[in-house]
Amino acid sequence: MESLKSKKATAFMSEQLTLSTKKKLLLIDGNSVAFRAFFALHQQLDRFTNHDGLHTNAIYAFKTMLDKVVKAVQPDKALVAFDAGKTTFRTGKFSDYKGGRSKTPEELSEQMPYLRDLLTGYGIKSYELKDWEADDIIGTMAREGEADGYQVIIVTGDRDLTQLATDQTTVAITQKGVSEIEYYTPAHVQDKYGLEPKQIIDMKGLTGDTSDNYPGVTKVGEKTAIKLLTQFDSVEGVYEHLDDIKQSKMKDHLIEDHDQALMSKDLATIRTNAPLAIHLDDIDYNGPDIDKLIAFYQQMDFNNFQKQLQNAGLSLDLGDDETSTALKTVSWTELTKDNLNLIDNFTDEVSFILEMPDENYHLSAFAGFVMTDGKQTLVSREVDLLQSAQIKNLMENGNIEKNVFNAKAQYVGLHRLGVKLVGVDFDLLLVSYLLDTNDNSNDLGSLAQQHGYDQVETDEAVYGKGAKRAIPDDDEQFFDHLSRKALAIQNLHEELFKELDQNEQRDLYVNIELPLTFVLADMEIAGVYVDTDQLTNMREKFKEQLSSLKQTIYNEAGEEFNINSTKQLGQILFEKMKLPVIKKTKTGYSTSVDVLEQLASQAPIVENILAYRGLSKLQSTYIEGLLKVVHSHDHKVHTRYLQTLTQTGRLSSVDPNLQNIPIQTQQGREIRKAFVPSHDGWEIFSSDYSQVELRVLAHITGDANLQEAFREDEDIHAATARRIFGLTSNDEVTPLMRRQAKATNFGIVYGISDYGLSQNLGISRPQAKQFIDTYFREYPDVKKYTEDVVEQAKKQGYVETITHRRRYLPDINAKSFNRRSFAARTAMNTPIQGSAADIIKIAMIQMQKALTDRDLKATMLLQIHDELVFEAPKEEIPILEKLVPSIMDSAVSLDIPLKVESAHGSTWYDAK
DNA sequence: ATATTCACG
DNA sequence: ACGTACGTGAATATA
């Protein structure tokens, strides 16, 4: 989780940087970043050598960092500063400065000259200055940039540079690796140290620095220094107010080390007046020199990077419009009712876009459309034309192949116009997702750019974003963009199909994802009827209960406050009422359920807060939330299944999310009474797979004991309990044992760790470890699987499901323990969760076909990961009771049987 | 926009 | 020594 969070934080900061309209100056501390880069991939030192035996790990990691930073910052000017040599003006002041440092490893220093070549390829200047350190070059250049109105971004691995942070200068510190970056603004420095940036040098003065080998004041560390500086502002301030400090050992040390403190502060101070021979005018950044880079990558044996560049033809994947080559002009013809016969030129294939500006294609307006075959491009704002006989025939003619971006959205949009989309061959969105679930931007332009096609911009670039987003009134602008998008689809068709073939994913695309997209479209269009009276009645009831709970809570607290605010609630519980703090979040006290449950016995208010929370969740998310999205004309909700989002191959559901409707508590479960059939005399029918993920686990691992349990149709958690507790019969399994075995089973599926299991079960870590060890002893092939799959991920860089769905795990070799372990757990979990997703997808396609073939009225409405929900006339229920399970359990043939359970009733609630 | 919480599989 | 269960979406508060 942590790694995800930090990714998000980084992404956010990057965006902030990009958002600023100021000119940007990027300054990189070459030596420091190279050092970090070298150690980030130190474990892989041996793997990273080129044909000449040159180590390349630092160059590789530096390149990765550079891509990231350049993309985030999009600089107008850039410079990488290097240290010039061992002696500087600082060694003149203090001969031991940076003394005692172990010298740079040969494996790194041999890479330094090539780093310069890399930078030349990137079009970024390098600079060094005798007697001065890289820091001083950066400090000087930063101030020069500030004076000229630039936003300055400094990249380094050295925290001392945070002293340079100002309103105009952000210091980006590379973390453990080099691709994780923490951005220090003055506010963030304050947060982190409780000091202003300029006080960093005072802190260094007091504490000294072991790595740079200069002394501070004896026994004064970061904590003491911060305390002193908060009180006295600076080193000088401390000494002016020595009298205010009580007699103590510390005071003696301060007095004794006065000179050292002043000297150290001086050494730590980055100069902003270095006599540079290079200035802002000399360091314009105009993007990379592709040919040079390709040659360089070839020399380094960076085959992937080289290929990327060659595929891209001209542009580097920096997502940077300014660095990519200019757009060539496109020609298009505006289609009108008078030149509709131009349509007849499309005889074999056509790339098509019906442009819908809103995300929600069930409701979006239609802005226009475009059709192209690469020779002729037709555009129009008049969507009525789509309903003309010519176009309708084209769309409904399966012999003319359609290339699109998001076939489901196109199918639904056209359906709303009374046109059926038939013959889709290439869906750029879907194919991109299968090729790499990681970069699943939903924007045609950015996906096309990622695949090396640069003749198209992102929607954001053309339409704007946020409140300013709008389809341009200018025909030329709008039609150009539409045309370029359609041409991008047209052009990427063949190449991406080739890539699918290379990945053995053609079958997954042709026989699963593409057909599924239309099954999903039909489900979305069908929608689910909602009994709004049921919901409004519940709303009234809940409203009363909530306000009475609220009063009770206020009374118990002795004041009114916002119960929904974790901050205010934390103050009441942990400050006013002095309840023990069990867990903290990074912003304050945690008040989550598990914390509150532990506190419940200590104060009655806690129980009421829990009740309030539960009720208000139901009220806002499910009652009010659902009512908001019921379509008024048909009384139904039409969710959208996102088919290209999850990293595992699962679907997700939005607007509304119908995959997380409550079921666990009685109170919540009542919500399901509002989901009813859309016709009288119909019922809701539901079938779900029993323990699919564990069955998939049994299949994939081939573990004989696990497989036996499923072949015997045992209660799997009881069987596991019997095994890990060494019992002879299931009769001896107590409920507690079963619960613990169940948690262990889940843990295995999630990529187990003893810590996670201990947290979940509330047991000690050694105990959890004991469970896991026993589990692995009883199911030895499961153990082998967990090891093999991680090994495979390390070797190939990705893991696969039973249908060759692929997930890349770039962090599997990360230096950061966190990232690496997260990737390892993911490696274990993804093939299981993903294969289960594959199975139900296959079942859905077969199911839809079976319903049509048999002319049944029954309609598939929902998929909830391991469950399918239908509505059907009562007479068809007996048919479904046989048909649905038989299709679901034979969707794929595994080494063990699949099991399906069904239920039906007058509402979703009753289908239990 | 991010963090927290909580609903589901 | 590190500090975690896997995959999602929505509402709310807070900045």
Side-chain angles (χ1 to χ4, degrees), chain A residues 314-374:
Chain A
L314 296 159
S315 90
L316 237 197
D317 175 20
L318 301 180
D320 181 353
D321 299 325
E322 289 170 354
T323 60
S324 62
T325 46
L327 294 174
K328 296 182 194 126
T329 52
V330 281
S331 57
W332 39 258
T333 308
E334 185 169 356
L335 194 68
T336 66
K337 60 181 176 10
D338 300 322
N339 61 5
L340 268 179
N341 57 342
L342 289 173
I343 295 294
D344 301 335
N345 292 328
F346 299 129
T347 49
D348 307 320
E349 66 167 341
V350 60
S351 296
F352 171 81
I353 299 172
L354 168 58
E355 186 76 337
M356 293 178 275
D358 291 347
E359 239 184 333
N360 189 338
Y361 46 75
H362 292 296
L363 298 166
S364 174
F366 302 116
F369 66 90
V370 56
M371 316 171 104
T372 187
D373 58 0

Side-chain angles (χ1 to χ4, degrees), chain A residues 566 569-570 573-574 583 585 589-593 595-596 613:
Chain A
T566 51
L569 180 59
L573 293 180
F574 303 113
K583 206 166 74 182
T585 65
Y589 312 108
S590 170
T591 64
S592 58
V593 193
V595 171
L596 294 188
R613 277 253 182 94

Side-chain angles (χ1 to χ4, degrees), chain A residues 6-66:
Chain A
S6 61
K7 257 187 217 165
K8 273 189 186 163
T10 311
F12 168 64
M13 291 306 298
S14 317
E15 200 154 328
Q16 296 258 305
L17 294 174
T18 328
L19 278 176
S20 163
T21 52
K22 268 193 192 169
K23 299 178 290 181
K24 310 224 179 45
L25 168 61
L26 174 65
L27 299 170
I28 299 175
D29 183 345
N31 290 77
S32 159
V33 173
F35 211 75
R36 291 280 183 140
F38 178 73
F39 285 105
L41 291 177
H42 195 230
Q43 291 153 322
Q44 269 85 43
L45 190 55
D46 296 337
R47 280 187 46 217
F48 280 95
T49 50
N50 77 346
H51 53 273
D52 294 334
L54 173 79
H55 290 94
T56 55
N57 66 324
I59 300 169
Y60 187 98
F62 201 104
K63 187 257 175 203
T64 314
M65 181 282 303
L66 215 48

Side-chain angles (χ1 to χ4, degrees), chain A residues 465-485:
Chain A
K465 72 176 199 172
K468 279 183 284 184
R469 187 182 152 100
I471 300 291
D473 287 330
D474 179 53
D475 277 352
E476 180 137 328
Q477 219 190 336
F478 179 46
F479 289 150
D480 273 5
H481 184 53
L482 268 191
S483 303
R484 291 201 170 98
K485 291 214 286 187

Side-chain angles (χ1 to χ4, degrees), chain A residues 107-128:
Chain A
E107 294 90 338
L108 172 56
S109 46
E110 71 184 24
Q111 298 182 55
M112 296 305 285
Y114 296 96
L115 227 38
R116 311 265 184 139
D117 293 347
L118 173 75
L119 290 166
T120 312
Y122 264 79
I124 300 177
K125 286 249 158 50
S126 321
Y127 183 66
E128 60 180 55

Side-chain angles (χ1 to χ4, degrees), chain A residues 716-848:
Chain A
I716 188 62
H717 301 313
T720 302
R722 198 183 67 229
R723 285 190 176 274
I724 63 182
F725 292 105
L727 311 174
T728 47
S729 142
N730 280 11
D731 299 343
E732 298 168 50
V733 175
T734 65
L736 175 68
M737 291 175 182
R738 188 178 181 282
R739 191 173 77 84
Q740 293 182 323
K742 185 175 173 180
T744 312
N745 277 327
F746 272 105
I748 296 290
V749 170
Y750 292 156
I752 201 151
S753 74
D754 51 5
Y755 181 85
L757 184 63
S758 74
Q759 287 296 300
N760 188 286
L761 282 174
I763 58 177
S764 76
R765 219 168 129 166
Q767 265 178 310
K769 186 166 174 354
Q770 176 71 42
F771 280 155
I772 296 169
D773 289 345
T774 320
Y775 184 100
F776 280 147
R777 200 186 64 221
E778 293 296 320
Y779 299 114
D781 286 343
V782 175
K783 177 169 203 233
K784 186 165 184 327
Y785 163 78
T786 61
E787 292 160 356
D788 290 351
V789 77
V790 172
E791 190 51 42
Q792 185 200 348
K794 281 188 175 161
K795 229 167 60 199
Q796 302 181 153
Y798 61 88
V799 291
E800 278 183 329
T801 69
I802 53 174
T803 65
H804 298 298
R805 185 187 305 285
R806 203 177 261 213
R807 179 175 186 176
Y808 289 92
L809 298 169
D811 276 353
I812 195 76
N813 291 315
K815 192 172 182 194
S816 147
F817 175 87
N818 258 338
R819 289 167 158 258
R820 201 174 57 248
S821 339
F822 184 73
R825 291 196 295 274
T826 312
M828 301 181 223
N829 173 263
T830 297
I832 298 166
Q833 191 183 114
S835 297
D838 295 342
I839 293 171
I840 196 165
K841 282 179 169 178
I842 295 167
M844 290 168 76
I845 296 162
Q846 296 180 355
M847 196 60 235
Q848 190 76 321

Side-chain angles (χ1 to χ4, degrees), chain A residues 14 17 26 67 100 136 158 174 197 246 258 260 280 385 437 457 515 549 596 707 747 754 802 830 855 873 878 895:
Chain A
S14 317
L17 294 174
L26 174 65
D67 278 348
D136 304 306
D158 183 353
T174 58
K246 272 195 302 216
H258 191 165
Q260 284 186 26
L280 280 179
L385 292 175
T437 51
E457 292 178 282
L549 268 172
L596 294 188
Q707 291 198 347
D754 51 5
I802 53 174
T830 297
D855 266 332
D895 293 346

